[in-house]
Amino acid sequence: MPLVIVHSNPLFWLRLAAMAFSCVAFSVAVHGAYLSHGTGDWCIFCWAFSFAGSLVVLLVELFGLQTRAPVSWKNFPITFACYAALLCLSASIIFPLYFLKGETRSSEIRDYRIVATVFSCLATVAYMSEVSVSKARPGEVAGYMATAPGLLKVCETFVACIIFVFISDPVGYDQHEALKYCLAVYCICFILSAAIIVLCICECTGCLPFPFARFLSAYALVAVLLYFSATIIWPIFKFDRRHGGTSRPPGCSSYVGLCTWDKVMAVSVLTAVNLILYVADLIYSARLVFVSV
């Protein structure tokens, strides 16, 4: 089987750089960063998953196996790169927050943690550059995941996953029925966005009993309305004292990482972020013409 290496292809070098940076990040963290709790395991997963996926993509393209892959190669690489960029970005924020915040003394462990953070940031930049190079240009024929709405779907599902983490540890939605409604909004929109991504990657959009483009626009509109309601309801029942809300405890300032109140605030911010993403998704979906995959 011939080995195909295109040195002039910038995607090859970006993927190689991203793979190298993520490999260094998790190798250094495992070797000497002394990660003592589950947050460190999450960061290592982000870097290791990104490295493994980049390695698979590189090998498939080097050996020219795109046509034999069980997924749409117009959609899979950029979808993975977008998720890897978001994973490395989250690790670049979480890792120093939990393992460098408040560390003033010089030590070998601290140096390892700084190196892991730096290479995590470099991996994030490399993956973002890959997404920028891979995405469809105006008038260009490409898979749905290479378009703005496709990339927005990835961001929407990723933000929803972070929301799930924050509201489940500790459980933050069982005080009132309105908060359970917000949880339902997060779950419904996440499931539908994830289903759209899977349909595109598996090239199954033509199997739907209705036009895929029309479904995308209708779903984006419904998601905007649902997230708009959650953006209003969640802060009311979490921060308004008349509805059982609380203000930020003084102890949160010295808390390592995020305290419970900070996580509740993060859910409010992330809900607003996803609302903005769905509004942009609705605008693009309503006017974008793409080639069905």
Side-chain angles (χ1 to χ4, degrees):
M1 184 177 296
L3 184 65
V4 181
I5 301 180
V6 184
H7 294 285
S8 61
N9 188 354
L11 279 176
F12 172 81
W13 298 109
L14 286 172
R15 287 166 180 160
L16 191 64
M19 185 177 70
F21 293 148
S22 56
C23 179
V24 172
F26 81 77
S27 299
V28 169
V30 170
H31 178 67
Y34 188 68
L35 309 181
S36 56
H37 50 79
T39 306
D41 295 336
W42 163 254
C43 294
I44 290 176
F45 166 78
C46 292
W47 299 323
F49 176 82
S50 301
F51 166 77
S54 293
L55 180 60
V56 170
V57 172
L58 274 176
L59 290 177
V60 169
E61 298 206 339
L62 285 176
F63 288 96
L65 301 175
Q66 296 92 324
T67 57
R68 300 185 182 182
V71 295
S72 168
W73 210 250
K74 291 185 294 184
N75 289 304
F76 177 77
I78 190 171
T79 304
F80 169 78
C82 192
Y83 273 121
L86 294 170
L87 286 170
C88 289
L89 176 62
S90 68
S92 300
I93 297 172
I94 293 172
F95 190 80
L97 184 64
Y98 279 85
F99 298 103
L100 285 176
K101 180 183 177 182
E103 284 284 341
T104 56
R105 57 186 180 180
S106 178
S107 66
E108 185 178 357
I109 293 176
R110 181 172 178 270
D111 293 340
Y112 276 109
R113 292 176 177 179
I114 291 174
V115 171
T117 302
V118 170
F119 276 93
S120 179
C121 294
L122 291 174
T124 302
V125 173
Y127 280 116
M128 287 183 173
S129 300
E130 180 183 344
V131 172
S132 178
V133 172
S134 303
K135 70 178 181 180
R137 302 297 186 268
E140 182 181 355
V141 176
Y144 176 74
M145 296 308 300
T147 64
L151 295 175
L152 286 170
K153 293 290 188 304
V154 174
C155 296
E156 292 157 6
T157 55
F158 187 81
V159 171
C161 287
I162 299 178
I163 291 176
F164 292 145
V165 172
F166 285 152
I167 65 177
S168 61
D169 184 26
V171 175
Y173 53 84
D174 57 351
Q175 296 92 345
H176 199 279
E177 293 299 322
L179 298 176
K180 295 180 181 179
Y181 164 80
C182 293
L183 176 64
V185 169
Y186 304 143
C187 292
I188 292 170
C189 293
F190 169 79
I191 292 172
L192 290 176
S193 293
I196 291 171
I197 293 173
V198 172
L199 287 173
C200 291
I201 292 178
C202 296
E203 296 186 312
C204 297
T205 56
C207 301
L208 298 176
F210 41 78
F212 185 57
R214 190 173 299 174
F215 166 72
L216 292 174
S217 298
Y219 162 61
L221 176 60
V222 172
V224 167
L225 296 176
L226 289 174
Y227 259 92
F228 179 75
S229 63
T231 303
I232 297 174
I233 293 173
W234 181 269
I236 289 177
F237 286 89
K238 281 298 185 180
F239 304 123
D240 191 339
R241 293 183 181 275
R242 292 173 299 179
H243 296 88
T246 59
S247 56
R248 191 172 192 263
C252 279
S253 301
S254 58
Y255 196 86
V256 176
L258 297 177
C259 67
T260 300
W261 193 92
D262 288 340
K263 291 180 179 180
V264 172
M265 175 58 73
V267 172
S268 298
V269 173
L270 291 172
T271 302
V273 168
N274 242 3
L275 172 62
I276 295 172
L277 292 175
Y278 276 110
V279 169
D281 192 353
L282 174 61
I283 294 172
Y284 276 109
S285 297
R287 65 185 180 87
L288 181 66
V289 177
F290 62 91
V291 177
S292 297
V293 295

